[in-house]
Amino acid sequence: MIVTRSWLNEWIDISSISTDKLLKTLNSIGLEVDSIHSYKVPQKIVFGRVLECKKHPDADKLNICQVDIGTSTRQIVCGASNVRAGLDVVVATIGAVLPDGTLIKPVTLRGVESDGMICSAKEIGLGDFSEGIIELDSSVGKYKIGQEVSQNPIFSDDIIEVELTANRGDCLSIRGVARDLSAAFDKPLRERKVQEDEDKRLGIGRILSLSQENNLDVNIRYKAVDFKNLTLPFIVRLRLLQIDDKKDSDVDSLMLYTTHSSGVILRAYDYSLFCTKDEPVAKISLSKDKKGFASIMLKDKVVSIVGIMQDDFFKVTHSDGVVLIEATYIPPDIISKKLQENKIPTGPSYYRASRGSEPDLNQGLDYCISIIEANSESTVYGGTIEIDEPHEEKIITISKKEIDDIIGANIDKAKITKILKNLGFDTTKSLADNFAIIVPRYRHDIVNKQDIVEEVVRLVGIDNIPSKPFTFTETNSFSSDYYDYKKRGTYRHKAAFSGFFESVHFVFDERKVLQEYGFETLDESKELLNPIVNTLDTLRTTLLCGLLRAASNNVKNGYSSVKLFEVGSVFNSKREESLKMAFIFSGDREAENLANSGKPAKVDFAFFVQKISNIIGEFELREYKTKHTLSHPYQCAEIFVANESIGEIFRLHPDVQESYDLDVTFMCELEFTKLPCSLKAAKQSSKYQASFRDLSIVMPKEMAYERVKKVISQSATKEVVRFYVVDKYSDESLGKNMSLSIRFVLQSFDKTLEEEEITNTMNTILDALKEELGIGIR
């Protein structure tokens, strides 16, 4: 949001406040100053008046002017096409140095002496916003002929750019920023009211009829003006250049200027396009279009969509004739939600409307009409055509004690009341020490008690609230948050120690990509209303897509081995948040070295599983088919810790690898809250020697190892410490079967096991396998 000192001064008196204090105040009340540019017209450039203007005898494009500069009358040769007698101008006198370094000195042009220079806006450093020399008018304020131009605040100003958060749409105007400064400096706002003499004006109702559809939550007002000889004042053209915006016509430029200044969204329509000879009265309606947007309709044609766009056909392209001026307000949450449901092209007004424009439509129209009447011979039609939808007042109740408790300091009640009043809050219904606060309609971001307290704090100033010493008590400082933080740090460090690099992404993702790969997405009713960009239009439901993009970018930058991990929040379809940890390993297992002859092997399933085990500890893999389509159909598994599923591990599908320009790639995603992070308990170990036995059993190829493992676990005696697969073999002689070698570790706490005891244990297991599964040894 761009403001200037002189522009702010039109809405609030800050003439006695230094720029430095103004900037500090803006920062302290939450309107962060992003940049400031100060300009000042050089010395010896004065206000002048052209007394006489005649053609140069030897040059068609030059004029010889007699110019009053206060102390004397100087002869100046000027080549501007708009120079004429009676014009007030800006004159660079002898000895002046222009911003581009040009020194003004007496010269002779085609045989005629010239003592000075009549300047354009660009020549004195204001920018190129008009053709020819500056034509001064009343918009620059009072001045005297011969006075230094730099003494005028318009020609010596500060342009300030304020960085606004998305919820502060009420400050997307000069008046809105001035309103916050009014509360900060305890100075009243300057309002503009136009007193209409209705008896002497033709009523707008004679040329315009407006019908409406109910329950559209739109406020709208129309004024009609018969434009004649409109001249945009100097200050309007200068300020439109300063905010780096302009329109094709003077009327549209005036709408833009008034909108930026007052905060009310104004549009202008060419009235001649609304009526015909058969229908001299324009008949328009406010109703829903085919997609449900509140629209201005002319018969079956959409003239404009409130808060979103205006049909170019109905825009004003001239500065004469009857023009309809429209002021509108629509609640920002309604328009944002509607546009999210139905994507349509938007116009420049949507940015303001979606963040909250000014609902006081009359003050915007009055401000616009006052500029028109001061700078044209136009005729304004009497009255307005308007539609006002009723709205429910938002009332927040809070006691002074609650305010003091939240702030941690005692704030005077009168000061709180004054702050809220200056910000536009109505506190007239408050009783004793209990505030009943009516929230102004332009503050849609105020919804609870904490928001009210925040308004008080930012206006009081955080530095002005006395600090209190900490109170130390003998309580346990290690809360669950600490242990959660410690657990997260532990796993991050373990991942880093195992060679993975941490990757951090936004919690947003692209809905189209999630749907393409079969991931869960948010319910439509819980989707984001105002996504920051189209490619981040939903909350992520997995970490995998972000890691894929990051790995792809690393490969494109020349890395042959990419190992990344992330710990972050994800959301389910109901927008419930949870924490996950994900890994990706792509390409070479290790760097090129002498041991691998410069040709390192690619990562494989077993190697990746070992890497994950190094980080999270012991786990089991079970047969599994993922719900998404990122995984290879034959290389994926479910991860179990203590018989509880905590995630999945898989190889990336070859088609996906190719689309992301990746080599062989493996991924893993885990429920972070289910990862073990308890204190390690010491376990008793036997002092007697352990024995090892291998069993090679023949089983069908299609039989899952999980069934074999279950039978062994149920039948094994207490002497079996652990068992695991060491080999798998198959050949033609085995047919549809395969040989699976399982190693058993046996140990007793009481003695060294004898051969007979070991044999009995193994026979018990073999009997169970034959009885339950029908399989035995080779």
Side-chain angles (χ1 to χ4, degrees), residues 251-266:
V251 173
D252 266 354
S253 294
L254 184 57
M255 297 303 108
L256 171 63
Y257 176 81
T258 309
T259 297
H260 191 87
S261 188
S262 68
V264 176
I265 296 178
L266 298 179

Side-chain angles (χ1 to χ4, degrees), residues 621-625 636-638 640 702-706:
L621 295 180
R622 297 183 186 177
E623 188 177 358
Y624 178 69
K625 184 176 180 180
C636 52
E638 190 173 12
F640 282 79
E702 66 273 8
M703 180 180 290
Y705 171 69
E706 184 65 28

Side-chain angles (χ1 to χ4, degrees), residues 440-623:
R441 201 173 183 189
Y442 53 80
R443 290 306 302 272
H444 64 278
D445 57 313
I446 305 297
V447 295
N448 52 41
K449 297 178 180 181
Q450 287 75 15
D451 293 331
I452 293 293
V453 175
E454 184 179 345
E455 293 298 292
V456 174
V457 170
R458 74 183 183 90
L459 268 302
V460 170
I462 192 69
D463 294 334
N464 296 324
I465 296 175
S467 58
K468 291 183 177 180
F470 288 111
T471 302
F472 294 96
T473 57
E474 294 294 331
T475 58
N476 183 10
S477 61
F478 297 128
S479 64
S480 61
D481 290 338
Y482 167 77
Y483 292 108
D484 291 342
Y485 167 78
K486 185 177 179 181
K487 175 182 176 180
R488 189 165 179 165
T490 298
Y491 276 98
R492 287 173 64 232
H493 289 147
K494 285 183 177 181
F497 294 155
S498 295
F500 288 85
F501 291 88
E502 185 168 16
S503 183
V504 180
H505 304 92
F506 286 119
V507 293
F508 307 111
D509 212 330
E510 188 172 3
R511 185 181 181 90
K512 181 177 71 174
V513 174
L514 292 173
Q515 291 174 334
E516 177 185 351
Y517 291 122
F519 287 102
E520 180 183 26
T521 56
L522 266 65
D523 293 341
E524 291 288 343
S525 61
K526 298 184 182 295
E527 271 292 8
L528 302 178
L529 292 181
N530 288 302
I532 52 179
V533 290
N534 291 335
T535 54
L536 297 174
D537 58 356
T538 188
L539 292 172
R540 64 183 179 185
T541 55
T542 178
L543 303 177
L544 299 176
C545 292
L547 286 178
L548 264 179
R549 289 191 293 270
S552 179
N553 291 334
N554 276 271
V555 169
K556 290 173 183 177
N557 285 328
Y559 291 93
S560 59
S561 178
V562 179
K563 294 171 282 187
L564 302 175
F565 80 94
E566 181 175 7
V567 181
S569 295
V570 297
F571 300 82
N572 64 14
S573 60
K574 297 180 180 179
R575 209 166 174 170
E576 296 169 339
E577 184 178 359
S578 61
L579 196 64
K580 290 194 175 183
M581 185 176 193
F583 302 85
I584 187 169
F585 196 142
S586 179
D588 297 342
R589 290 170 52 163
E590 57 191 4
E592 296 177 359
N593 56 51
L594 187 62
N596 57 42
S597 302
K599 295 180 180 180
K602 302 298 180 182
V603 61
D604 55 33
F605 195 88
F607 185 81
F608 184 61
V609 167
Q610 184 60 54
K611 280 288 187 181
I612 301 302
S613 179
N614 292 343
I615 298 169
I616 70 171
E618 183 180 359
F619 60 83
E620 296 179 31
L621 295 180
R622 297 183 186 177
E623 188 177 358

